[in-house]
Amino acid sequence: MGLRLLRGGDDTSLKIGEELTRALVEETEQDVNGRVTKGSLDSFDDLVKEMTLKRRDIKAFASVTKKMLLQMERKVQSAKHHELVYWHLASHGIPKSLHCLSLRLTEEYSVNAMARTRLPPPESVSRLTDPSFHHVVILTDNVLAASVVISSTVENAVNPDKFVFHIVTDKKTYTPMHAWFAMNSASSPVVEVKGLHQYDWPQEVNFKVREMLDIHRMIWRRHYQNLKDSDFSFVEGTHEQSLQALNPSCLALLNHLRIYIPKLFPDLNKIVLLDDDVVVQRDLSSLWEMDLNGKVVGAVVDSWCGDNCCPGRTYKDYFNFSHPLISSNFVEDDCAWLFGMNVFDLKAWRQTNITEAYSTWLRLSVSSGLQLWQPGALPPTLLAFKGLTQSLDPSWHVAGLGSRSVKSPEEILKSAAVLHFSGPAKPWLEISNPEVRSLWYRYVNSSDIFIRKCKIMN
């Protein structure tokens, strides 16, 4: 019968085909919920044997076939969901090569006087607060990533001597970070490395920072528990955004401290903030001459991909618009501005209540049952900076290169000033896209002895 159906032979085969089609349609209409009964057959061979031995009619054949197809489809969807979860979990690991680099640099700091050289040298200390220089701020605990940000910026700068880099890191990473830039100072302009333990903040600020971290942890726990309760099964099209709760950056102190940049750098008036997962491809000097029209932050909002096409995500990807506090502040289909390459007018920032507004929104989130937004530092930042953002040309910042599929055309990637590997697949991880990872690796110092010994380039 199957052969005759395939060949489309005599009238009998046509009638059988019509009857089978009608039976399948009827079965589909009757079983709208797509339930699969217990004891359903596992393979098509089993189905043929069942139908042959029990001499079932075509309607019964269609019924069993429909249930088998639904069961197979569910297995495929389940496999896709779990594969996505494992992919996100793989982004949490720190490669052995990066551990090796930090350990070797820490050892070098203890035995090599050059690795403990003062940063910056005494003759360059005055540049740290000189407004005529281009000040770049990087908050990171990744030595290799910081080196790529700085080397790519310097290599593509028209006048690299005008740049001053301020690296803020944690106590654990301070020693290897200092050792790296002390020993590579000849190839870099002025670099300052400062650990959080070296800041002497008032008790009030310390309390607010602890409160901020506690609330972000509560939001993360609630969202993560919801994912566990649903067994990581999500509605198609929303599950990847939901899995961002698995990202360690949601709880990283250095990630959340961006809201305190004016206090980290009280003597600076204008800075460019670069995330550690970016690579610079063009001279950034004109960013410091850019007029922000009285706004506090310059960021890419529109996109190279045309109208109604966001460079990052829309507000509905971050916020719960069923809550009136959110729906009264944003339009769900509007584009959210990109974090990762931003110009900040710190003088204008200090004349606003942005940092206080950020804390207020965190408390409102607690009183609203932690349901206002997805985990991460960006949602409350978008609320605190509302109306204070100046849009930059899309070519300054192309993001999303750390996602599962990179959709930016090759010409866009080549012409962008800053490429941002936002998303789980960082360029130093094996899960990253090899096509765009090469754009980052070209700025790794492959001649460095520690890079070679730790097999970073492998």
Side-chain angles (χ1 to χ4, degrees):
M1 183 185 73
L3 289 174
R4 289 200 302 271
L5 283 171
L6 289 173
R7 292 194 189 108
D10 54 23
D11 294 339
T12 303
S13 66
L14 291 174
K15 288 178 181 179
I16 293 173
E18 290 172 2
E19 188 176 348
L20 179 58
T21 301
R22 183 172 61 254
L24 282 169
V25 170
E26 288 175 0
E27 176 61 28
T28 302
E29 291 173 347
Q30 290 170 5
D31 192 12
V32 292
N33 293 323
R35 292 185 294 271
V36 179
T37 58
K38 277 190 175 182
S40 57
L41 298 168
D42 293 328
S43 72
F44 190 76
D45 286 342
D46 293 338
L47 174 60
V48 172
K49 290 178 183 177
E50 169 88 4
M51 302 308 296
T52 303
L53 293 173
K54 297 186 178 180
R55 298 184 178 278
R56 301 288 182 100
D57 59 17
I58 276 193
K59 192 166 185 179
F61 174 81
S63 176
V64 178
T65 302
K66 175 67 177 177
K67 288 169 184 174
M68 285 185 65
L69 290 172
L70 288 171
Q71 189 179 47
M72 290 163 58
E73 185 178 353
R74 280 195 173 81
K75 287 182 179 179
V76 170
Q77 291 300 323
S78 176
K80 286 182 177 179
H81 290 323
H82 283 88
E83 189 259 345
L84 186 61
V85 172
Y86 298 147
W87 185 81
H88 275 264
L89 290 174
S91 70
H92 296 192
I94 300 176
K96 187 189 297 185
S97 57
L98 293 191
H99 274 302
C100 169
L101 182 63
S102 290
L103 290 173
R104 285 186 176 272
L105 287 170
T106 300
E107 181 184 17
E108 195 70 12
Y109 185 90
S110 64
V111 300
N112 187 347
M114 181 179 293
R116 299 190 298 273
T117 304
R118 182 175 175 181
L119 285 177
E123 63 271 17
S124 300
V125 170
S126 61
R127 297 187 183 185
L128 295 178
T129 56
D130 191 334
S132 65
F133 286 86
H134 303 325
H135 296 273
V136 178
V137 170
I138 307 166
L139 283 71
T140 181
D141 61 354
N142 188 321
V143 178
L144 181 66
S147 72
V148 169
V149 174
I150 293 180
S151 64
S152 63
T153 304
V154 171
E155 188 170 323
N156 290 287
V158 174
N159 189 357
D161 292 334
K162 289 285 290 183
F163 283 80
V164 176
F165 295 92
H166 305 264
I167 299 175
V168 179
T169 190
D170 55 22
K171 189 175 183 178
K172 165 181 65 69
T173 315
Y174 172 77
T175 298
M177 189 78 74
H178 185 106
W180 173 271
F181 287 102
M183 293 188 296
N184 289 277
S185 58
S187 59
S188 304
V190 176
V191 177
E192 175 191 33
V193 177
K194 199 167 183 180
L196 291 175
H197 60 288
Q198 296 174 318
Y199 284 92
D200 186 18
W201 284 356
Q203 189 63 29
E204 179 187 1
V205 175
N206 287 329
F207 173 79
K208 288 183 177 179
V209 170
R210 283 197 299 270
E211 180 188 40
M212 172 184 70
L213 289 177
D214 288 342
I215 294 174
H216 279 296
R217 287 192 186 102
M218 286 191 290
I219 296 172
W220 183 88
R221 285 194 200 102
R222 183 186 184 280
H223 193 80
Y224 183 68
Q225 188 59 46
N226 289 342
L227 295 181
K228 285 182 65 179
D229 293 342
S230 65
D231 193 27
F232 299 101
S233 297
F234 315 106
V235 178
E236 187 68 28
T238 63
H239 54 281
E240 190 156 1
Q241 284 81 18
S242 300
L243 281 174
Q244 291 301 319
L246 300 177
N247 196 323
S249 66
C250 290
L251 300 176
L253 172 59
L254 289 169
N255 194 32
H256 293 296
L257 277 180
R258 291 182 287 193
I259 198 65
Y260 284 97
I261 283 178
K263 294 187 181 297
L264 289 169
F265 301 99
D267 299 318
L268 298 181
N269 289 329
K270 198 168 190 178
I271 61 110
V272 168
L273 175 70
L274 294 177
D275 275 2
D276 63 1
D277 55 350
V278 307
V279 62
V280 178
Q281 300 188 126
R282 284 198 343 237
D283 182 36
L284 302 182
S285 299
S286 60
L287 289 173
W288 281 267
E289 284 94 45
M290 192 172 289
D291 184 6
L292 297 183
N293 297 314
K295 304 296 177 64
V296 175
V297 57
V300 170
V301 180
D302 300 318
S303 177
W304 50 265
C305 52
D307 296 334
N308 301 318
C309 175
C310 291
R313 297 182 188 163
T314 59
Y315 284 110
K316 67 183 177 184
D317 293 321
Y318 294 103
F319 295 101
N320 174 17
F321 275 86
S322 63
H323 199 288
L325 275 174
I326 299 301
S327 57
S328 62
N329 277 277
F330 288 127
V331 176
E332 55 182 306
D333 291 324
D334 282 354
C335 292
W337 52 272
L338 294 179
F339 225 155
M341 193 293 296
N342 304 103
V343 187
F344 284 102
D345 186 337
L346 300 185
K347 186 176 181 180
W349 187 335
R350 295 184 185 102
Q351 296 171 358
T352 69
N353 65 341
I354 288 173
T355 305
E356 291 75 14
Y358 184 95
S359 299
T360 300
W361 275 109
L362 289 179
R363 297 188 194 103
L364 283 171
S365 176
V366 175
S367 62
S368 301
L370 307 173
Q371 299 180 14
L372 297 185
W373 57 73
Q374 300 274 350
L378 184 56
T381 302
L382 294 172
L383 288 162
F385 279 88
K386 184 188 176 186
L388 297 171
T389 305
Q390 174 65 32
S391 179
L392 302 181
D393 187 275
S395 66
W396 278 111
H397 186 184
V398 172
L401 302 189
S403 61
R404 282 170 64 85
S405 58
V406 180
K407 300 176 182 178
S408 303
E410 186 177 352
E411 61 272 16
I412 297 295
L413 295 178
K414 288 182 178 179
S415 62
V418 173
L419 298 179
H420 190 183
F421 289 81
S422 55
K426 303 304 181 188
W428 50 85
L429 299 177
E430 289 186 6
I431 64 171
S432 60
N433 188 317
E435 294 179 6
V436 293
R437 182 171 55 197
S438 61
L439 299 173
W440 186 86
Y441 264 96
R442 70 174 64 172
Y443 294 102
V444 174
N445 184 1
S446 58
S447 63
D448 182 82
I449 185 172
F450 299 110
I451 295 291
R452 295 201 307 272
K453 284 184 176 180
C454 292
K455 300 180 181 179
I456 297 289
M457 297 305 290
N458 283 359

